[in-house]
Coordinates of all heavy atoms in Angstrom, one line a residue:
Chain B
M128 N 171.1 102.8 10.2 CA 170.3 102.1 11.2 C 171.3 101.0 11.9 O 172.0 100.2 11.3 CB 169.2 101.4 10.7 CG 168.4 100.6 11.6 SD 167.5 99.4 10.7 CE 168.0 97.8 11.5
Q129 N 171.4 100.9 13.2 CA 172.3 100.0 13.9 C 171.6 98.6 13.7 O 170.4 98.4 13.6 CB 172.1 100.2 15.4 CG 172.2 101.6 15.8 CD 171.8 101.8 17.3 OE1 171.1 102.7 17.7 NE2 172.4 100.9 18.1
E130 N 172.5 97.6 13.7 CA 172.1 96.3 13.5 C 171.9 95.5 14.8 O 171.5 94.3 15.0 CB 172.6 95.5 12.4 CG 174.2 95.5 12.6 CD 174.8 94.2 12.0 OE1 174.7 94.1 10.8 OE2 175.3 93.4 12.8
S131 N 172.6 96.2 15.9 CA 172.5 95.4 17.2 C 172.3 96.4 18.2 O 172.4 97.7 18.1 CB 173.8 94.7 17.5 OG 174.8 95.7 17.7
L132 N 171.7 96.0 19.3 CA 171.2 96.8 20.4 C 172.0 96.7 21.8 O 172.4 95.5 22.0 CB 169.6 96.6 20.8 CG 168.7 96.7 19.5 CD1 167.3 95.9 20.0 CD2 168.5 98.1 19.1
T133 N 172.2 97.8 22.4 CA 172.8 97.5 23.8 C 171.7 97.1 24.8 O 170.6 97.1 24.4 CB 173.4 98.9 24.3 OG1 172.2 99.7 24.5 CG2 174.3 99.6 23.3
I134 N 172.1 96.7 25.9 CA 171.1 96.3 26.9 C 170.1 97.4 27.2 O 168.9 97.2 27.4 CB 171.7 95.6 28.1 CG1 170.6 94.8 28.8 CG2 172.3 96.6 29.0 CD1 171.1 93.9 30.0
G135 N 170.6 98.6 27.2 CA 169.8 99.7 27.6 C 168.8 100.0 26.5 O 167.6 100.3 26.8
Q136 N 169.2 99.9 25.3 CA 168.3 100.1 24.1 C 167.2 99.0 24.2 O 166.0 99.3 23.8 CB 169.1 100.1 22.9 CG 169.9 101.3 22.7 CD 171.0 101.1 21.5 OE1 171.3 100.2 21.2 NE2 171.3 102.3 21.0
L137 N 167.6 97.8 24.2 CA 166.7 96.7 24.2 C 165.6 96.8 25.4 O 164.4 96.7 25.2 CB 167.3 95.2 24.4 CG 166.4 94.2 24.4 CD1 165.6 94.1 23.0 CD2 167.2 92.8 24.5
A138 N 166.1 97.3 26.6 CA 165.3 97.5 27.7 C 164.2 98.6 27.4 O 163.0 98.5 27.6 CB 166.1 98.0 28.9
A139 N 164.7 99.7 26.7 CA 163.9 100.9 26.5 C 162.8 100.4 25.5 O 161.6 100.8 25.5 CB 164.6 102.0 25.9
R140 N 163.1 99.6 24.4 CA 162.3 99.2 23.4 C 161.3 98.2 23.8 O 160.2 98.0 23.2 CB 163.1 98.8 22.2 CG 163.9 99.9 21.6 CD 164.2 99.8 20.2 NE 164.7 101.0 19.6 CZ 165.4 101.1 18.5 NH1 165.4 100.0 17.6 NH2 165.9 102.2 18.0
S141 N 161.7 97.3 24.7 CA 160.7 96.2 25.2 C 160.0 96.5 26.3 O 159.1 95.9 26.6 CB 161.6 94.9 25.3 OG 162.5 95.1 26.5
G142 N 160.5 97.6 27.1 CA 159.7 97.8 28.4 C 160.1 96.8 29.5 O 159.5 96.8 30.5
V143 N 161.2 96.2 29.3 CA 161.7 95.3 30.3 C 163.1 95.8 30.9 O 163.9 96.3 30.1 CB 161.9 93.8 29.7 CG1 162.6 92.8 30.6 CG2 160.6 93.3 29.2
A144 N 163.1 95.7 32.2 CA 164.4 96.3 32.8 C 165.6 95.5 32.5 O 165.6 94.3 32.2 CB 164.2 96.4 34.3
P145 N 166.8 96.2 32.4 CA 168.0 95.6 32.1 C 168.2 94.3 32.9 O 168.6 93.4 32.5 CB 169.0 96.7 32.3 CG 168.5 97.9 32.1 CD 166.9 97.6 32.5
S146 N 167.9 94.5 34.4 CA 168.2 93.4 35.2 C 167.3 92.2 34.9 O 167.8 91.1 35.0 CB 167.8 93.9 36.7 OG 166.5 94.3 36.8
A147 N 166.2 92.5 34.4 CA 165.2 91.4 33.9 C 165.8 90.7 32.7 O 165.7 89.5 32.6 CB 163.9 91.9 33.7
L148 N 166.3 91.5 31.8 CA 167.0 90.9 30.6 C 168.1 90.1 30.9 O 168.3 88.9 30.3 CB 167.4 92.1 29.7 CG 166.1 93.0 29.0 CD1 166.7 94.0 28.1 CD2 165.3 92.0 28.2
R149 N 169.0 90.5 31.8 CA 170.1 89.7 32.2 C 169.6 88.3 32.8 O 170.1 87.4 32.6 CB 171.1 90.3 33.3 CG 171.7 91.5 32.6 CD 172.9 92.1 33.5 NE 173.3 93.5 33.0 CZ 172.7 94.5 33.6 NH1 171.9 94.5 34.6 NH2 173.1 95.7 33.2
Y150 N 168.5 88.5 33.7 CA 167.9 87.2 34.3 C 167.4 86.4 33.1 O 167.6 85.2 33.3 CB 166.8 87.7 35.2 CG 166.1 86.7 35.8 CD1 166.6 85.8 36.7 CD2 164.7 86.5 35.6 CE1 166.0 84.7 37.3 CE2 164.0 85.5 36.2 CZ 164.6 84.6 37.0 OH 163.8 83.7 37.7
Y151 N 166.8 86.9 32.2 CA 166.2 86.1 31.1 C 167.3 85.3 30.4 O 167.1 84.1 29.9 CB 165.3 86.9 30.0 CG 164.1 87.5 30.5 CD1 163.4 88.4 29.9 CD2 163.5 87.1 31.7 CE1 162.3 89.0 30.3 CE2 162.3 87.6 32.2 CZ 161.8 88.5 31.5 OH 160.4 89.1 31.9
E152 N 168.4 86.0 30.2 CA 169.6 85.4 29.6 C 170.1 84.1 30.4 O 170.3 83.1 29.9 CB 170.6 86.4 29.2 CG 171.8 85.8 28.5 CD 172.9 87.0 28.2 OE1 172.4 88.3 28.2 OE2 174.0 86.6 27.9
R153 N 170.2 84.4 31.7 CA 170.6 83.4 32.6 C 169.7 82.0 32.4 O 170.2 81.0 32.4 CB 170.6 83.7 34.0 CG 171.9 84.5 34.5 CD 172.4 84.0 35.8 NE 171.3 83.9 36.8 CZ 170.7 84.9 37.5 NH1 171.1 86.1 37.4 NH2 169.8 84.6 38.4
L154 N 168.4 82.3 32.2 CA 167.5 81.2 32.0 C 167.4 80.7 30.7 O 166.7 79.7 30.4 CB 166.1 81.7 32.5 CG 165.9 82.2 33.9 CD1 164.3 82.4 34.1 CD2 166.5 81.2 34.9
G155 N 168.1 81.3 29.8 CA 168.1 80.8 28.3 C 167.0 81.3 27.6 O 166.7 80.7 26.5
L156 N 166.3 82.4 27.9 CA 165.2 82.8 27.1 C 165.7 83.7 26.0 O 164.9 83.7 24.9 CB 164.3 83.7 28.0 CG 163.5 82.8 29.1 CD1 163.0 83.7 30.1 CD2 162.4 82.1 28.5
I157 N 166.7 84.4 26.2 CA 167.2 85.3 25.1 C 168.8 85.0 25.0 O 169.3 84.5 26.0 CB 166.9 86.8 25.3 CG1 167.5 87.2 26.6 CG2 165.5 87.0 25.2 CD1 167.3 88.8 26.8
R158 N 169.4 85.5 24.0 CA 170.8 85.4 23.8 C 171.5 86.7 23.4 O 170.7 87.5 22.8 CB 171.2 84.4 22.8 CG 171.3 82.9 23.4 CD 171.1 81.8 22.4 NE 169.8 82.1 22.0 CZ 169.4 81.9 20.7 NH1 170.3 81.7 19.7 NH2 168.2 82.0 20.3
A159 N 172.7 86.9 23.7 CA 173.3 88.1 23.3 C 174.9 87.8 22.8 O 175.4 87.0 23.3 CB 173.4 89.1 24.4
E160 N 175.2 88.7 21.9 CA 176.6 88.6 21.5 C 177.4 89.4 22.5 O 176.8 90.2 23.3 CB 176.9 89.2 20.1 CG 175.8 88.7 19.0 CD 176.3 87.4 18.3 OE1 177.2 87.4 17.5 OE2 175.8 86.4 18.9
R161 N 178.8 89.5 22.5 CA 179.6 90.3 23.3 C 180.5 91.1 22.5 O 181.1 90.7 21.5 CB 180.5 89.5 24.4 CG 179.5 88.6 25.3 CD 178.5 89.5 26.1 NE 177.7 88.8 27.1 CZ 177.8 89.0 28.4 NH1 178.6 89.8 28.9 NH2 177.0 88.2 29.2
T162 N 180.7 92.3 23.0 CA 181.7 93.2 22.3 C 183.1 92.7 22.9 O 183.2 91.9 23.8 CB 181.6 94.6 22.7 OG1 181.7 94.9 24.2 CG2 180.1 95.2 22.3
G163 N 184.2 93.4 22.3 CA 185.5 93.2 23.0 C 185.6 93.4 24.4 O 186.1 92.7 25.1
G164 N 184.9 94.4 24.7 CA 184.9 94.8 26.2 C 183.8 94.1 27.0 O 183.4 94.5 28.1
N165 N 183.3 93.0 26.4 CA 182.3 92.1 27.3 C 180.9 92.6 27.4 O 180.2 92.2 28.2 CB 182.9 91.7 28.7 CG 182.3 90.5 29.2 OD1 181.9 89.6 28.5 ND2 182.1 90.6 30.5
Q166 N 180.6 93.7 26.7 CA 179.2 94.2 26.8 C 178.3 93.3 25.8 O 178.7 92.9 24.8 CB 179.1 95.7 26.5 CG 180.0 96.5 27.5 CD 179.6 97.9 27.5 OE1 178.8 98.4 26.7 NE2 180.1 98.6 28.4
R167 N 176.9 93.3 26.3 CA 176.0 92.5 25.5 C 175.7 93.4 24.3 O 175.4 94.6 24.5 CB 174.9 92.3 26.3 CG 175.0 91.1 27.4 CD 173.8 91.1 28.3 NE 174.0 90.1 29.3 CZ 174.6 90.2 30.4 NH1 175.2 91.5 30.7 NH2 174.9 89.3 31.3
R168 N 175.4 92.7 23.3 CA 174.9 93.3 21.9 C 173.8 92.4 21.4 O 174.1 91.1 21.2 CB 175.9 93.5 20.9 CG 176.9 94.8 21.1 CD 176.1 96.1 21.3 NE 176.4 96.6 22.6 CZ 177.4 97.6 22.9 NH1 178.2 98.0 22.0 NH2 177.6 97.9 24.1
Y169 N 172.6 92.9 21.4 CA 171.5 92.1 20.9 C 171.1 92.2 19.5 O 171.0 93.3 18.9 CB 170.2 92.4 21.8 CG 170.3 92.1 23.3 CD1 170.8 93.1 24.1 CD2 170.1 90.9 23.8 CE1 170.9 92.8 25.4 CE2 170.3 90.6 25.2 CZ 170.7 91.6 26.0 OH 170.9 91.4 27.3
A170 N 170.9 91.0 18.8 CA 170.4 91.1 17.5 C 168.9 91.6 17.5 O 168.3 91.4 18.5 CB 170.5 89.6 16.8
R171 N 168.5 92.2 16.4 CA 167.2 92.8 16.4 C 166.0 91.7 16.7 O 165.0 92.0 17.3 CB 166.9 93.5 15.1 CG 168.1 94.3 14.6 CD 167.6 95.4 13.6 NE 167.4 96.7 14.5 CZ 166.2 97.1 14.8 NH1 165.1 96.4 14.4 NH2 166.0 98.2 15.5
G172 N 166.4 90.5 16.2 CA 165.4 89.5 16.5 C 165.1 89.2 17.9 O 164.1 88.7 18.3
E173 N 166.0 89.5 18.8 CA 165.7 89.3 20.2 C 164.6 90.1 20.7 O 163.9 89.7 21.7 CB 167.0 89.6 21.0 CG 168.2 88.7 20.8 CD 167.8 87.2 21.0 OE1 167.4 86.9 22.0 OE2 168.0 86.5 20.0
L174 N 164.3 91.2 20.0 CA 163.1 92.0 20.4 C 161.8 91.1 20.3 O 161.1 91.3 21.2 CB 163.2 93.2 19.5 CG 162.4 94.6 19.8 CD1 162.8 94.8 21.3 CD2 162.8 95.7 18.9
R175 N 161.8 90.4 19.4 CA 160.6 89.5 19.1 C 160.5 88.5 20.2 O 159.4 88.2 20.7 CB 160.7 88.8 17.7 CG 159.4 88.2 17.3 CD 159.6 87.4 16.1 NE 160.2 88.4 14.9 CZ 160.8 87.9 13.8 NH1 160.7 86.6 13.6 NH2 161.2 88.7 12.9

Side-chain angles (χ1 to χ4, degrees):
Chain B
M128 177 203 127
Q129 321 165 224
E130 57 152 65
S131 70
L132 306 167
T133 65
I134 196 168
Q136 290 168 334
L137 183 58
R140 297 201 173 173
S141 65
V143 175
S146 60
L148 292 175
R149 292 193 196 97
Y150 178 65
Y151 289 172
E152 186 176 336
R153 275 219 321 276
L154 297 192
L156 291 162
I157 57 177
R158 265 158 301 137
E160 315 277 278
R161 295 302 180 117
T162 63
N165 198 38
Q166 297 199 352
R167 290 171 181 82
R168 284 305 120 92
Y169 297 93
R171 319 204 91 257
E173 293 305 299
L174 207 38
R175 193 184 306 165

